Amino acid sequence: MRRARNPSVTIVPSDITPEARYLSRRTLLAGGLGLAALQAVGRFSRPAMADTAAAGPGALTFTRNAAFSPAEAPNSYRDITTYNNYYEFGTDKSDPAENAQGLRIRPWSVTVGGEAEVTGSFTIEDILKPHPLEERVYRLRCVEAWSMVVPWIGFPLGDLLKRFKPTSKAKFVEFKTLYDPKQMPGQRSSVLEWPYMEGLRIDEAMHPLAIMAVGLYGKALPNQNGAPMRLIVPWKYGFKGIKAIVGIKFTERMPRTAWAEAAPNEYGFYANVNPAVDHPRWSQASERRLGGGLFDSRHPTLPFNGYAAEVAGLYSGMDLRRYF
Ligand SMILES: Nc1nc2c(c(=O)[nH]1)N[C@H]1C(S)=C(S)[C@@H](COP(=O)(O)O)O[C@H]1N2
Ligand SMILES: [Mo]
């Protein structure tokens, strides 16, 4: 991998029209599936079509990965981009959409360090360049017991990490968000320790379900969703999905994470979605699927957020009540 040098842009405008693509999926769903799908389509076609991202500035070139499209309808672009957790921009769900618009995401660099052969500072262009983008529709389950379904655009995290040639001592990988209180007003208060930090065990990070996301609904990530690049680990609670990443470090020891520092009895390092382990202050057995308020609905929460078949093996022999 080359070091930071020129700021050439690698996200190219697309000639794909996401709206057309989503419209054809609507047809597909209505034709191919039963009542549930029809209801889902009803929800999906509500205000969602109007505010679905169109081709134009920020449109990405990608392929759709059909292996990752749940039967559930994606949430509307509006829900996904106006109901956010991003404490750097405030603690209300509507704060990030309001306060993150001025965040400068170019130029952007990412520092890679620790137990790896290839380390240094890289431009976001160099980080992203080799990775073909794909769309994956994933469930997102927040530890606060709400959930969404999001059509992310991204690439496997493991493909990125392998480029740095982690050494045999790399047992974990740590991620860090930008620290810039001038741009991130929430960092002027001590609601969390800044910068926001997250981490994964190296085998979790290399699991094919874990992705770096750079877009949603076919377009570059809005700032409030973590531009220019954020983590998505769909079998874990949403707080593992750290936004606006500027640092990646391979470590021998388990990294400190922002939420585990803040309240270790409430937010563990593993944070696997687990309906059998309640948060000390609320049940995790079910979740509120956002649907624009009126269309919110309650669903049972699934172990590993419904991805148990793929990932449960990562934790065989581990007591998931203790390592939560
Ligand atoms: N840097 C940073 N990353 C963050 C957060 C945050 O406050 N700061 N919130 C997390 C939480 S709690 C959730 S649920 C998801 C929400 O992602 P979304 O706003 O794109 O839905 O982002 C996660 N990533
Ligand atoms: Mo969350």
Side-chain angles (χ1 to χ4, degrees):
M1 174 184 281
R2 285 185 302 115
R3 295 296 168 94
R5 213 172 301 123
N6 75 66
S8 66
V9 176
T10 54
I11 295 177
V12 294
S14 165
D15 47 12
I16 295 169
T17 308
E19 269 176 354
R21 250 170 16 84
Y22 282 94
L23 278 167
S24 63
R25 169 148 76 185
R26 258 176 89 201
T27 314
L28 199 121
L29 278 169
L33 299 170
L35 183 62
L38 280 170
Q39 284 167 341
V41 167
R43 245 179 65 187
F44 187 31
S45 58
R46 192 181 37 93
M49 293 321 296
D51 53 26
T52 293
L60 302 172
T61 301
F62 60 91
T63 56
R64 181 169 164 224
N65 190 329
F68 306 104
S69 24
E72 299 132 290
N75 279 88
S76 69
Y77 188 76
R78 174 172 298 158
D79 281 353
I80 296 167
T81 59
T82 59
Y83 189 95
N84 300 101
N85 271 336
Y86 199 169
Y87 279 17
E88 285 85 339
F89 294 102
T91 53
D92 284 349
K93 297 292 183 276
S94 58
D95 286 340
E98 217 166 280
N99 302 332
Q101 298 315 317
L103 177 68
R104 289 186 305 274
I105 55 165
R106 292 292 188 285
W108 191 272
S109 54
V110 179
T111 302
V112 179
E115 299 293 344
E117 288 174 32
V118 182
T119 58
S121 178
F122 304 91
T123 64
I124 188 72
E125 288 77 16
D126 276 343
I127 292 281
L128 301 182
K129 196 176 306 183
H131 301 286
L133 299 180
E134 56 183 82
E135 179 185 71
R136 297 188 184 194
V137 185
Y138 278 162
R139 288 176 291 274
L140 174 92
R141 171 53 158 89
C142 176
V143 72
E144 298 163 336
W146 54 265
S147 67
M148 298 195 279
V149 178
V150 185
W152 299 111
I153 309 290
F155 56 88
L157 173 65
D159 290 352
L160 172 63
L161 298 185
K162 281 175 207 149
R163 289 166 61 201
F164 306 111
K165 301 188 168 45
T167 71
S168 60
K169 284 186 173 167
K171 305 285 191 246
F172 295 89
V173 54
E174 172 188 284
F175 301 91
K176 189 169 77 178
T177 295
L178 178 68
Y179 178 71
D180 186 351
K182 282 209 189 78
Q183 293 200 77
M184 297 177 142
Q187 290 178 334
R188 295 174 220 152
S189 84
S190 53
V191 48
L192 284 174
E193 255 183 56
W194 311 111
Y196 195 100
M197 306 280 290
E198 258 307 335
L200 295 169
R201 224 170 52 193
I202 194 79
D203 57 336
E204 297 179 314
M206 294 295 180
H207 191 281
L209 277 181
I211 60 171
M212 277 296 193
V214 298
L216 64 86
Y217 265 114
K219 256 175 65 145
L221 271 186
N223 286 350
Q224 61 268 36
N225 292 92
M229 177 172 90
R230 60 90 58 89
L231 188 64
I232 294 293
V233 193
W235 70 95
K236 293 179 180 283
Y237 290 118
F239 67 82
K240 298 299 283 185
I242 181 173
K243 297 175 172 180
I245 294 170
V246 296
I248 299 176
K249 189 176 175 190
F250 297 93
T251 65
E252 201 168 2
R253 303 201 11 218
M254 183 182 283
R256 291 154 27 105
T257 63
W259 280 104
E261 288 293 313
N265 60 325
E266 302 190 5
Y267 310 103
F269 174 84
Y270 282 94
N272 292 313
V273 174
N274 190 343
V277 176
D278 286 340
H279 186 280
R281 292 181 281 132
W282 58 83
S283 165
Q284 295 291 26
S286 72
E287 64 201 58
R288 177 173 56 97
R289 174 66 50 81
L290 299 189
L294 200 54
F295 293 85
D296 286 2
S297 51
R298 242 319 118 188
H299 298 271
T301 288
L302 301 173
F304 299 104
N305 201 22
Y307 301 98
E310 291 90 337
V311 301
L314 290 170
Y315 311 100
S316 53
M318 261 177 76
D319 179 357
L320 294 172
R321 290 181 169 274
R322 184 154 171 238
Y323 298 96
F324 61 88

